[in-house]
């Protein structure tokens, strides 16, 4: 007897009780299976496992449906010899188009087993498919890539806790014949993998076989009898019409509901790094502190440069002893008191997972450190306790309420065979313990300038760093990619300025500042204050550079934007974003970048418009998303010299777009505007 289970989001299963097979017939409206039936071993079933010398897939696995209530579908998977059992729960969020797929694997045999692969599988019907992924390089993160699925396997993977080195744990499979698409998000725990194998039978087109979850390149995890492993959760997102620009909103609305209540609202901050890197004095920081306070910053952070006995701070990580000389002469706590006296919270930088070759912990406890690795073995209880006490001790010493956590080195090979699964669980436990020990502590995820930015970390850190790249335009491209898969309101942006030089060609009357346009001051450019600040407001504004050197007029102008952010902080933090323009590669300047940031549970949107062209394209219209067609909206430009507004119907704004007007000046490349779109209450 066959049972058909029709579920939300265009998903359908067929369960054959006699043969104990469960066939996925459609997923998010995409056809699955071999014309709706099971294919051969490599192209059927919902799971693949390699245990000891055995491979379980296809007909070697049996299925049993446990529960189906319309919003949840639960089933079990087992092999004939009862070596393993997999319990799976699929939960459907119809409003946001998300399916949560959770799998737990049990060793049901009488002996220990070695797990070498354990991955959920989704098999799609033959057709013409394209795949989108993201390449991540330092300073060049979240760059969209397109691949035609033909004869070659596509595979992306992450390494340890730096989960977005090389690739993001995300991809989109697009059926190009019916303009539908499915996105896969892995919530990593250790190394992760997404693998798309184009299976070809006879003369058919490629059939995509997708597996995703725990990385298996070096997996040889031992499970004792009765022991289990909770595999990384995979989120599947329905993308009707293959609309990539709308992809972010669904996952953002979904993840906002999953954030822990213990997370703090992101503050406006000043960080010392791109002021003078590690070459600064206490007196110089005092000047920056005074200006940060004047402009409205809420936290003052001392980055790398406060520790290390020799000049090479990078080699000193792991010991965390204050410098005996400049800048604080071994007394940063006194400067922290100055910060608090000024009314700001004090924060500092640590790279807690990296240990230099000659740090004292390595000398005293060599057994804690894997060979040829910069990391400490957190699976050893004493080592994990040492790491926690080291971080907690410095937080107490400086009375810090903010810590910026970085990690600038590769983890290497996990000789335990667990692909950093256990390491990641222990590290997450340390962060959760820090939050419980210091309830007011704000934790920033820097992670090598955004090479650890995934759906697991957004639940552990209060906010995440978008990139070490400080270019106000290039980071728009970086954020376009990031906003396809993570939260915009917890994205921390660099606003790095210093006084502009004399203007020999004053082609506009805009206030200008010198801006860092890379990850160092070796590259810089002139930008209007309006452009710089609007770019910074697309997320969380964070400052560095020489604020003290700016004129009183410029500081006052910047303070207006800071006040706006603080007054609307709840809107920003609880927002989702639609990309109203196509993805712009990092170095392509002749483009508009337009974002619609919509408040969760509000009738309000902010439309950020950035032009990066000298072609004098000043008047443009952009179609808005997710408005009420039957209501009217008040459209007003913010931070403009003239306070003008217009009333437009939601239907018009979605069909024909919002009219935007930027300054027309052939000599100015970077111009920007911000519009507020608010629904008018019906009488």
């Amino acid at each position: 007897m066959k049972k058909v289970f029709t579920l939300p989001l265009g998903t359908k299963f067929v369960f054959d009780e006699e043969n104990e097979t469960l066939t996925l017939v459609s997923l998010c409206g995409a056809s699955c299976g071999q014309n709706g039936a099971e294919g051969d071993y490599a192209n059927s079933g919902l799971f693949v496992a390699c245990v000891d010398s055995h491979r379980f897939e296809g007909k070697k696995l049996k299925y049993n449906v446990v529960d189906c209530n319309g919003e949840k579908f639960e089933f079990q998977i087992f092999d004939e010899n009862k070596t393993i059992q997999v319990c799976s729960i699929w939960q459907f969020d119809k409003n946001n188009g998300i399916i949560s797929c959770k799998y737990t694997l049990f060793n049901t045999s009488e002996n220990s087993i070695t797990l070498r692969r354990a991955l959920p599988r989704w098999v799609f019907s033959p057709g013409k498919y394209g795949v989108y992924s993201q390449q991540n390089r330092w300073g060049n993160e979240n760059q969209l890539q397109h691949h035609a699925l033909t004869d070659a396997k596509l595979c992306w993977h992450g390494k340890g806790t730096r989960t977005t080195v090389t690739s993001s744990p995300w991809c989109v499979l697009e059926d190009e014949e019916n303009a539908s698409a499915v996105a896969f998000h892995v919530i990593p725990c250790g190394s992760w993998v997404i693998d798309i194998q184009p299976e070809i039978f006879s003369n058919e087109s490629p059939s995509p076989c997708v597996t995703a979850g725990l990385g298996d390149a070096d997996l040889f995890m031992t499970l004792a009898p009765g022991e289990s492993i909770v595999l990384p959760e995979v989120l599947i997102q329905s993308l009707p019409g293959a609309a990539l620009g709308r992809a972010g909103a669904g996952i953002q609305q979904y993840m906002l509901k999953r954030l822990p209540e213990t997370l703090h609202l992101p503050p406006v901050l000043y960080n010392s790094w791109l002021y003078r890197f590690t070459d600064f004095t206490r007196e110089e920081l005092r000047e920056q502190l005074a200006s940060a306070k004047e402009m409205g910053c809420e936290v003052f952070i001392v980055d790398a440069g406060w520790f290390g006995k020799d000049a090479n701070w990078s080699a000193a990580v792991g010991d965390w002893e204050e410098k005996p000389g400049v800048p604080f002469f071994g007394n940063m706590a006194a400067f922290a008191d100055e910060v608090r006296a000024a009314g700001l919270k004090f924060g500092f930088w640590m790279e807690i997972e990296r240990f230099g070759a000659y740090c004292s912990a390595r000398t005293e406890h060599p057994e804690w450190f894997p060979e040829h690795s910069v990391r400490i073995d957190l699976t050893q209880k004493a080592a994990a306790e040492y790491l926690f006490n080291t971080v907690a001790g410095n937080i107490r010493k400086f009375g810090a309420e903010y810590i910026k956590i970085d990690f600038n080195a590769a983890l290497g090979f996990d000789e335990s065979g667990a692909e950093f699964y256990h390491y990641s669980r222990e590290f997450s436990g340390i962060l959760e313990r820090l939050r419980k020990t210091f309830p007011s502590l704000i934790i920033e995820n820097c992670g090598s300038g955004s090479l650890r930015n995934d759906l697991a970390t957004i639940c552990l850190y209060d906010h995440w760093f978008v990139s070490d790249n400080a270019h106000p335009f290039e980071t728009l491209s970086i954020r376009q990619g990031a906003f396809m898969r993570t939260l915009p309101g917890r994205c921390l942006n660099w606003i790095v300025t210093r006084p502009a030089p004399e203007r020999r060609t004053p082609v506009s009357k805009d206030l200008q500042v010198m801006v860092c346009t890379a990850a160092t001051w070796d590259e810089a450019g002139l930008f209007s204050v309006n452009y710089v600040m609007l770019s910074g407001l697309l997320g969380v504004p964070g400052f560095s550079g020489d604020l003290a050197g700016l004129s009183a007029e410029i500081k006052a102008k910047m303070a207006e934007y800071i006040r706006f952010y603080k007054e609307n902080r709840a809107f920003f933090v609880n927002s989702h974003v639609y990309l109203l323009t196509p993805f712009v590669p990092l170095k392509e300047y002749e483009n508009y970048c337009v974002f619609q940031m919509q408040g969760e549970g509000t009738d309000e949107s902010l439309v950020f418009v950035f032009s990066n062209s000298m072609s004098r394209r000043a008047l443009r219209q952009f179609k808005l998303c997710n408005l009420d067609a039957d209501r009217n909206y008040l459209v007003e430009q913010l931070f403009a010299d003239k306070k003008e507004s217009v009333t437009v119907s939601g239907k018009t704004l979605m069909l024909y777009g919002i009219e935007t007007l930027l300054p027309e000046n052939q000599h100015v490349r970077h111009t920007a505007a911000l519009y507020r779109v608010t629904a008018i209450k019906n009488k």
Side-chain angles (χ1 to χ4, degrees):
M1 179 178 177
K2 293 184 179 181
K3 291 184 178 179
V4 177
F5 296 93
T6 301
L7 295 154
L9 301 176
T11 301
K12 183 188 293 186
F13 288 92
V14 174
F15 178 50
D16 186 330
E17 291 181 315
E18 181 179 354
N19 296 312
E20 297 179 294
T21 60
L22 182 64
T23 302
L24 180 63
V25 178
S26 65
L27 178 65
C28 300
S31 299
C32 295
Q34 190 69 15
N35 297 316
E38 293 288 309
D40 74 353
Y41 278 90
N43 204 35
S44 67
L46 296 161
F47 201 79
V48 56
C50 294
V51 178
D52 298 327
S53 60
H54 304 286
R55 181 182 177 97
F56 299 117
E57 64 180 339
K59 296 177 182 178
K60 291 183 179 181
L61 291 174
K62 303 299 181 180
Y63 293 80
N64 178 44
V65 175
V66 177
D67 185 31
C68 179
N69 63 12
E71 294 184 354
K72 183 179 75 171
F73 186 65
E74 184 175 354
F75 58 91
Q76 294 176 340
I77 311 170
F78 50 91
D79 65 289
E80 291 178 343
N81 296 323
K82 301 296 190 294
T83 306
I84 59 170
Q85 178 176 307
V86 179
C87 295
S88 177
I89 300 176
W90 289 29
Q91 291 180 301
F92 296 80
D93 184 327
K94 293 180 288 186
N95 293 332
N96 297 311
I98 304 292
I99 306 171
S100 163
C101 299
K102 297 179 180 178
Y103 290 75
T104 303
L105 184 146
F106 298 83
N107 176 7
T108 51
S109 72
E110 297 179 353
N111 303 306
S112 293
I113 62 173
T114 299
L115 188 65
R116 298 186 295 110
R117 196 178 194 203
L119 292 170
R121 171 186 277 175
W122 302 269
V123 180
F124 294 84
S125 296
K128 184 179 181 181
Y129 293 89
V131 181
Y132 291 93
S133 65
Q134 288 182 351
Q135 183 193 77
N136 283 300
R137 294 184 292 131
W138 179 75
N140 298 261
E141 295 84 2
N142 309 313
Q143 297 301 291
L144 197 66
Q145 310 290 314
H146 180 265
H147 319 265
L149 190 66
T150 55
D151 59 333
K153 180 175 76 171
L154 301 174
C155 184
W156 303 273
H157 59 91
K159 304 172 183 176
T161 62
R162 293 175 82 213
T163 51
T164 49
V165 173
T166 307
S167 307
S168 300
W170 169 94
C171 77
V172 173
L173 178 69
E174 179 185 5
D175 185 334
E176 296 178 352
E177 293 173 320
N178 69 4
S180 66
V182 181
F184 293 87
H185 304 259
V186 176
I187 302 182
C189 182
S191 301
W192 59 268
V193 66
I194 299 176
D195 186 317
I196 303 181
Q197 174 72 46
E199 298 287 351
I200 296 178
F201 302 93
S202 186
N203 64 337
E204 292 179 342
S205 299
S207 174
C209 179
V210 181
T211 53
L214 181 63
D216 58 354
D218 297 304
L219 182 66
F220 49 97
M221 183 188 296
T222 300
L223 293 181
E227 191 175 0
S228 63
I229 174 175
V230 178
L231 297 171
E233 181 180 0
V234 179
L235 301 180
I236 298 174
Q237 182 180 7
S238 175
L239 298 177
L244 287 182
R246 302 186 68 142
I251 194 69
Q252 290 156 13
Q253 290 172 295
Y254 175 82
M255 290 304 299
L256 281 170
K257 296 186 295 184
R258 290 184 52 161
L259 291 183
E261 295 182 357
T262 52
L263 295 187
H264 301 286
L265 292 177
V268 180
L269 58 87
Y270 177 88
N271 181 294
S272 66
W273 179 245
L274 279 173
Y275 170 45
R276 298 180 59 89
F277 295 95
T278 61
D279 181 23
F280 55 83
T281 66
R282 182 171 175 175
E283 290 70 26
E284 288 170 334
L285 289 192
R286 278 192 185 124
E287 294 178 353
Q288 300 307 321
L289 172 61
S291 293
K293 175 184 178 180
E294 178 185 351
M295 292 170 58
C297 292
E298 299 163 305
V299 179
F300 193 95
I301 301 154
V302 176
D303 212 287
W306 63 270
F307 69 96
K309 293 183 178 180
D310 58 36
N312 186 358
W313 66 270
S314 184
V317 293
D319 276 336
W320 306 111
E321 294 183 28
E322 288 190 70
K323 283 183 178 179
V326 176
F328 303 114
F329 298 92
N331 191 14
M332 189 166 72
F335 180 73
D337 289 338
E338 289 187 47
V339 171
R340 285 185 284 272
L344 282 74
K345 295 179 179 179
F346 177 75
F348 68 107
W349 176 96
M350 286 185 79
E351 191 174 3
I352 66 178
E353 291 174 87
R354 182 155 70 106
F355 289 79
Y358 304 106
C359 71
S360 58
R362 282 186 179 273
T363 304
E364 296 169 9
H365 294 281
E367 72 278 9
W368 289 350
F369 297 90
E371 189 176 6
H372 306 303
S373 174
V374 300
R375 68 182 175 91
I376 195 168
D377 183 4
L378 294 181
T379 63
Q380 296 187 45
K381 186 176 181 179
E385 191 68 15
Y386 171 82
L387 182 61
F388 172 81
N389 289 333
T390 299
V391 180
N394 279 285
I395 293 170
R396 292 189 182 99
K397 179 179 180 180
F398 304 123
E401 292 183 89
Y402 188 109
I403 184 168
K404 175 181 177 180
I405 295 181
D406 210 341
F407 191 39
N408 295 303
L411 282 173
F413 170 71
D414 184 0
E415 67 288 332
S416 75
E419 284 282 22
F420 295 100
Y421 176 87
H422 299 306
Y423 176 95
S424 295
R425 288 170 65 93
E426 293 297 331
F427 183 72
S428 298
I430 287 173
L431 294 183
E432 291 169 354
R433 186 178 171 190
L434 285 172
R435 198 174 291 283
K436 290 179 181 178
T437 306
F438 306 99
S440 63
L441 181 70
I442 299 170
I443 306 176
E444 174 189 333
N445 173 24
C446 178
S448 196
S450 200
L451 295 181
R452 176 167 44 194
N453 177 19
D454 57 66
L455 294 181
T457 55
I458 65 171
C459 294
L460 293 170
Y461 298 84
D462 293 293
H463 47 267
W464 52 274
F465 197 48
V466 66
S467 179
D468 276 334
N469 188 337
H471 197 299
F473 162 65
E474 291 188 3
T475 55
L476 295 177
S477 167
I478 291 171
R479 277 172 279 180
Q480 277 187 316
F483 292 170
M484 291 179 180
R485 58 181 184 82
T486 190
L487 297 179
R490 293 185 179 271
C491 161
L492 177 61
N493 307 313
W494 274 130
I495 302 174
V496 186
T497 64
R498 60 193 305 175
E502 178 187 355
R503 299 176 70 177
R504 298 298 180 91
T505 54
V507 296
S508 74
K509 295 181 180 180
D510 290 340
L511 293 173
Q512 285 191 327
V513 287
M514 182 74 79
V515 172
C516 177
T517 56
T520 70
W521 273 107
D522 285 350
E523 298 180 40
L526 290 176
F527 282 76
S528 73
V529 169
N530 182 62
Y531 191 102
V532 171
M533 293 304 299
L534 290 185
S535 178
L537 282 183
L538 190 62
V540 183
F543 293 84
S544 191
D546 182 12
L547 299 185
L550 301 175
S551 69
E553 182 182 14
I554 288 177
K555 286 191 281 189
K557 186 67 175 177
M558 287 182 164
E560 292 179 19
Y561 295 83
I562 294 173
R563 282 195 297 272
F564 176 81
Y565 173 79
K566 290 159 76 171
E567 290 167 359
N568 296 276
R569 186 169 2 220
F571 171 91
F572 281 97
V573 173
N574 296 299
S575 64
H576 53 270
V577 166
Y578 300 99
L579 308 182
L580 303 187
T581 47
F583 180 82
V584 178
L586 203 67
K587 300 294 182 180
E588 291 188 11
Y589 286 87
E590 293 292 320
N591 294 281
Y592 265 78
C593 281
V594 184
F595 304 80
Q596 179 187 349
M597 179 177 278
Q598 192 168 63
E600 194 73 13
T602 73
D603 294 322
E604 185 173 305
S605 293
L606 292 177
V607 180
F608 291 80
V609 183
F610 299 94
S611 174
N612 308 287
S613 169
M614 300 179 84
S615 64
R616 299 179 65 187
R617 294 181 297 162
L619 180 63
R620 305 286 285 171
Q621 292 191 197
F622 301 97
K623 298 176 183 178
L624 301 190
C625 300
N626 198 35
L627 303 182
D628 187 337
D630 297 325
R631 297 182 68 178
N632 288 327
Y633 288 79
L634 181 69
V635 179
E636 52 187 333
Q637 185 175 352
L638 305 178
F639 304 108
D641 294 334
K642 294 181 180 179
K643 302 295 183 182
E644 297 179 349
S645 62
V646 61
T647 299
V648 188
S649 72
K651 181 178 181 179
T652 298
L653 289 170
M654 290 189 290
L655 280 177
Y656 304 111
I658 180 175
E659 183 178 285
T660 66
L661 180 63
L662 300 181
E664 183 179 349
N665 191 323
Q666 70 186 64
H667 302 289
V668 177
R669 176 182 295 279
H670 302 290
T671 54
L674 177 62
Y675 293 84
R676 180 159 51 199
V677 180
T678 309
I680 299 173
K681 293 182 179 180
N682 294 325
K683 295 181 179 179

